[in-house]
Each structure stands twice: as structure tokens, then as C-alpha cells.
Amino acid sequence: MGTKSSGSVTMMIVSTILFLILTILSPTVHGNYFGTNAGKDDQCFCKLKGSIDDCSCNVDTVDYFNNVKIYPRLQSILLKNYFRFYKVNLKQECPFWPDDSKCAIRYCHVQPCDDDDIPEGLKGEIPRNLYFNESPADKYQLPAQFENCNQNARDHNMELGYLNTTISSENYKEFERWQQHDDAQDNFCVKESSPGEYVDLLLNPERYTGYKGPSAHRIWRSIYMENCFRPENSPHNFIQSSKINGMCLEKRVFYRVISGLHASINIHLCSKYLLSPHNGLSVESGARWGANLAELQRRFSPETTGGEGPNWLKNLYFTYLLELRALAKAAPYLEREEYYTGNEADDKDTRLAINDVLQIVKSFPEHFNETVMFSGGIDAQILKEEFRQHFRNISRIMDCVGCDKCKLWGKLQIQGLGTALKILFSGKFDKWVSPLHNFNRKHNFLERSEIVALINGFGRLSDSIFELDRFRQMMR
């Protein structure tokens, strides 16, 4: 009996010690810390569940698809020279207000490429159509077989068969202006007035620079207050998610893609936050960037966002699905792109990598359905044009960003989203037409800068969803 009693006491002491150890070592989860009143880590504000509004799939499906299949492949592709160098004009003046908000913080600075750093094939933009190295006049000449027909007609009857094909150089210039006007009708972004200069995106990564305050707030306030479609009687600076269901689908889509892009940019800033501007270990002027969980909470938890933060995160997934659909729709064109940089081996690797990603993209079972939008006759077409003009205004606002590095990535991601909208709604990509047909038609509807922005922009959304999962793990 004494032995058993002593053993029981010993077991109780051991059990008590183990309980205390586990209590001390196990992570204590407070509802306020995660932005909810829940006490479980799988109910924190960034653990999203359920279907994505105005889409047919759910969050978990996108998480697995992106983090396992898409993200690793995109990270490899974005190292390729074709996607690494982006031509941008960072000196274009703000068209809406005096540009008196230039960021003086050293981390805002963008270092353009030296000429020697740029791949040879990117230094001169190659005409991306079937009239390679032809003059404007050559574009409008009749092909040989029709020229012969015309000659036979002249021989048969000089008066009735003769066709005067002489066109002045002024007319050709006018034709070019017509073509530029027609092309602009399909673009959701305003083209820059000058080509700008190449920037190496790998040497100028998107991250928090310290740019904040009235200048930064004015950018987003202008986007939401003046360019997003708003519910009636909405006095708030930012649109309340609870009220957008009263708007039509097209107006909800516009708000959600802007909100999703905004959420994505905020996640980038939180995952690469300036932690130590003076005494860190980074090679860049002693600075150190890393994940800032408290900043993510401040930007997205229900307590600090009036309950809106989780909705903003869901809009990130919505924007991801919209751009995913655009890639799938443009795949027949993107698969035939040369991705030319002048290095044959690298260009071949880029083509293979892109085609691999596009096959994965096309395999996703529940793409965003753009065919249900703008389908109601003349009123729908008026709304579509209003939709396009609103987005073009937002592309102009990017020239008002005071931080050059923020401006660089803002312009790139807006152009990427604008390119996705062009693919979905211009009508040019609704039916694949082989470039072997209709010799006098331009079939490459995307310029190089649009392709670079599209892939990089989608890469940024992919990175946000991946980083969001890392933040969940940190919370646990």
C-alpha cells in the first residue's frame, strides 16, 4: 500500500509539472490580438473561409492552387530577363494636382538601368506585327496577286480598269493616327507620353519605404471617392462592403478589383516592412526588411477597420481569380509569343516556363466568368465605357504618387490589371484567330510592356496570397 501510495504521489507531481510546462510553452491566443473575439487560431481575421463573392469557388481552393502550383513557378519566371526589365516613365507630371509631395526618403529612390545592363534584344522595341521592318506605305500596298489582277485590268481596259493607288505620306500618317485611336478604344490604361527608361525590378523590389501621410492617403482617397462606383448615400471615405450588393454586378466587380489590388499592396508592405532603418543587417544602407505582424493586424483586423478588413482580404482573392481568367483567355496568344531578349537559350527557357504555367492556369476548374457582364444592350455598352474611363483615370493617378518606388510598382500593377480587363472585355480575345489568316490584320493585341505588367502583376497577387498564409502560421 505504501509503495502504491508513493507511486501515485509521484505520478501526480509529474503530471502537474507536465501540465505547467505545456501551459507555459503553448501559444496563448487572445481574441483581441487576432482582431476577433474568438479564442481559436483558425478563426483569426485572415483565416478566410467560404465562397468568394461573385465567384463560384472558395478560398481554400485558391490557397492550395496558388501556393502549391502557381507561386513556385511564377517566382522562377519573374527572374527571367524578359520579365525582369520594365520600361516606365517616372517623371510624368501629375495631371490632377500640383506635384508637391515628392518623397525625400532614400528608400523611395529607383535606380534605372545602365544601357549595358539591358539585354540587347530589349534596347530597340521590335514591331510586333506581320509588317516587320516595313515602312508605313508598305503596310497599305496591295499584295502581289492583287497587283497582278490590277495590271491585267489596266491592260484590258485602261479607262475602266485603272485603279489609282497613289496615297500621300500625309495620308499614311493620318492612317497611323486612326490606328492609334482605334487601339486606344480597347485600352484600360492611358499610354505614357514618353517611353521612359528601363528599370530592373529585381533591384527595385516592392516593399515599405516609409512613404505615408497626406500624400499617400490622397492617392487612395481619389481612387475610391472619385473613380469607384459608389452606393447611394455612402458618406464614408471607403466604400462599405455591406452596401455594394445594392449595386449592379459590373460596379461591384470594379470596386472589388480595386479593393483587392489595394489589399495586395498592403500585404506586400507588411511582409517586407522597414524594421530597422539604421542598425539592421541588410546590405542596403544598413536597413532591414521583414514581416510585421502588428502592421498587418492594424491594416486588416475588424477592430481597426470597422469590420471591413476581412472583406478586403476576400477581394484580394477576387482580383486573383479575375487575372487568372485573363491569363487563361489570352493563353493562345501568350503561348505563341517569342519573349525575345536576344539570348536564344534564355528565350527558349522563358517560352517553356510560360507555357508550363499557362497549362496549369487553364486547368483551374472554376474561372471568373466575364461573359455575364456588359450584356444588356446599349445601356450595358454605356456602362462598359464608363467602367473603362474610370480605370483609365486611376492609371493617370499613378503619376501623382510621391514615392518613385511606390509609383513604379503602382504603375506596373495597375497596367497589369488594366491589361487583364482589356483581355476580358475588349472582344479581341473572345475567339482565337490564327496569324496565318488575314495577312493584313494585326493579331498580336498585347504590347511587350502589357505582357510584362500582366505577368508581374499576377505574380504580385500570387505573392500576397502566399504571404498571407505565412502570416497565419506566425499567428499560430
Side-chain angles (χ1 to χ4, degrees):
M1 291 289 292
T3 303
K4 288 184 178 179
S5 177
S6 176
S8 299
V9 172
T10 302
M11 289 295 293
M12 290 177 61
I13 294 173
V14 171
S15 298
T16 302
I17 293 173
L18 286 173
F19 175 77
L20 290 172
I21 292 173
L22 290 173
T23 302
I24 293 170
L25 294 180
S26 62
T28 303
V29 180
H30 300 287
N32 289 338
Y33 179 75
F34 288 120
T36 70
N37 293 321
K40 296 182 179 179
D41 58 359
D42 64 348
Q43 293 178 334
C44 65
F45 69 87
C46 69
K47 178 60 178 175
L48 307 175
K49 293 183 178 180
S51 61
I52 300 168
D53 295 334
D54 291 321
C55 288
S56 59
C57 65
N58 59 47
V59 169
D60 290 340
T61 303
V62 176
D63 277 337
Y64 175 80
F65 178 78
N66 177 73
N67 297 346
V68 175
K69 297 184 176 182
I70 292 293
Y71 176 80
R73 288 175 167 88
L74 278 178
Q75 293 306 298
S76 175
I77 286 175
L78 295 177
L79 297 177
K80 305 290 186 184
N81 280 345
Y82 187 88
F83 298 105
R84 174 179 175 176
F85 296 96
Y86 178 62
K87 184 175 279 190
V88 62
N89 181 5
L90 298 177
K91 299 177 182 178
Q92 197 146 302
E93 292 184 2
C94 173
F96 299 111
W97 54 75
D99 189 9
D100 55 357
S101 58
K102 203 68 175 175
C103 179
I105 304 171
R106 58 182 172 179
Y107 307 118
C108 290
H109 180 65
V110 170
Q111 180 62 46
C113 293
D114 293 330
D115 189 66
D116 293 340
D117 297 330
I118 304 171
E120 198 64 35
L122 303 183
K123 292 182 180 179
E125 293 293 333
I126 298 175
R128 301 183 63 258
N129 53 49
L130 298 180
Y131 303 102
F132 179 67
N133 285 341
E134 291 180 1
S135 67
D138 292 333
K139 295 182 183 181
Y140 300 97
Q141 284 183 350
L142 287 173
Q145 63 267 33
F146 293 110
E147 200 60 65
N148 291 336
C149 292
N150 189 35
Q151 183 63 42
N152 293 336
R154 288 201 296 269
D155 291 343
H156 179 71
N157 188 317
M158 291 296 291
E159 291 184 2
L160 297 179
Y162 178 70
L163 177 65
N164 187 337
T165 60
T166 58
I167 302 177
S168 68
S169 59
E170 287 76 14
N171 289 135
Y172 286 123
K173 292 178 182 178
E174 193 66 24
F175 295 159
E176 293 297 316
R177 284 195 290 270
W178 294 353
Q179 184 63 50
Q180 292 171 5
H181 174 271
D182 292 343
D183 290 342
Q185 303 315 298
D186 300 314
N187 289 334
F188 282 74
C189 293
V190 176
K191 285 193 174 183
E192 296 180 324
S193 58
S194 65
E197 46 192 350
Y198 274 107
V199 171
D200 186 335
L201 298 175
L202 299 184
L203 297 181
N204 296 277
E206 183 185 22
R207 56 194 180 189
Y208 183 74
T209 63
Y211 174 63
K212 57 184 179 180
S215 173
H217 293 155
R218 179 168 55 177
I219 298 296
W220 288 110
R221 187 166 57 249
S222 178
I223 289 173
Y224 284 109
M225 295 290 288
E226 300 171 20
N227 290 284
C228 277
F229 298 95
R230 301 177 60 81
E232 294 183 5
N233 302 320
S234 179
H236 296 271
N237 287 344
F238 295 102
I239 299 169
Q240 291 178 294
S241 299
S242 60
K243 293 187 176 182
I244 68 170
N245 289 327
M247 299 191 296
C248 66
L249 172 63
E250 292 81 358
K251 293 180 179 181
R252 291 201 307 270
V253 166
F254 191 98
Y255 165 71
R256 286 195 170 117
V257 296
I258 296 300
S259 172
L261 179 62
H262 190 184
S264 179
I265 291 172
N266 278 332
I267 292 172
H268 303 156
L269 304 186
C270 294
S271 64
K272 294 180 177 60
Y273 198 85
L274 183 58
L275 300 176
S276 176
H278 300 296
N279 301 316
L281 302 177
S282 171
V283 296
E284 185 177 332
S285 303
R288 182 169 61 90
W289 280 266
N292 188 329
L293 187 56
E295 183 66 17
L296 184 84
Q297 179 196 8
R298 187 185 71 79
R299 291 176 185 254
F300 289 108
S301 70
E303 280 79 359
T304 58
T305 61
E308 291 292 327
N311 295 320
W312 297 342
L313 291 175
K314 267 200 174 182
N315 290 335
L316 159 66
Y317 285 78
F318 180 86
T319 309
Y320 178 93
L321 289 173
L322 182 139
E323 291 202 15
L324 185 74
R325 168 57 186 155
L327 286 171
K329 190 170 185 177
Y333 298 87
L334 296 173
E335 288 168 342
R336 288 162 175 80
E337 182 66 33
E338 287 296 317
Y339 301 100
Y340 177 77
T341 64
N343 186 312
E344 186 175 346
D346 287 351
D347 296 348
K348 181 179 179 181
D349 287 344
T350 302
R351 289 192 294 270
L352 291 173
I354 282 289
N355 288 345
D356 175 49
V357 167
L358 291 174
Q359 292 305 312
I360 301 295
V361 165
K362 289 187 289 186
S363 72
F364 190 75
E366 298 172 289
H367 284 124
F368 174 81
N369 182 12
E370 79 281 3
T371 62
V372 298
M373 295 178 60
F374 306 116
S375 57
I378 186 65
D379 289 340
Q381 293 309 306
I382 293 174
L383 178 60
K384 181 178 179 180
E385 179 59 19
E386 190 177 358
F387 187 106
R388 190 177 71 91
Q389 290 299 337
H390 276 275
F391 198 88
R392 286 171 67 86
N393 273 345
I394 292 175
S395 75
R396 291 188 180 100
I397 292 174
M398 290 301 103
D399 286 315
C400 301
V401 176
C403 164
D404 279 350
K405 190 166 289 184
C406 306
K407 181 186 294 186
L408 163 66
W409 286 99
K411 288 169 81 75
L412 182 142
Q413 289 173 87
I414 285 292
Q415 187 180 21
L417 181 53
T419 301
L421 296 174
K422 173 181 176 179
I423 292 168
L424 295 177
F425 301 122
S426 69
K428 289 184 174 181
F429 298 85
D430 290 349
K431 183 178 179 182
W432 163 247
V433 180
S434 171
L436 297 177
H437 300 148
N438 295 333
F439 67 92
N440 62 344
R441 243 183 105 180
K442 181 178 179 182
H443 292 280
N444 291 317
F445 298 126
L446 295 177
E447 297 179 359
R448 180 188 176 278
S449 64
E450 291 177 309
I451 296 174
V452 172
L454 177 67
I455 300 299
N456 270 284
F458 184 65
R460 295 279 73 207
L461 296 172
S462 173
D463 182 78
S464 293
I465 291 175
F466 184 84
E467 290 293 340
L468 197 58
D469 194 56
R470 290 180 60 184
F471 276 116
R472 292 188 192 111
Q473 295 175 29
M474 290 174 62
M475 289 179 176
R476 296 190 185 108

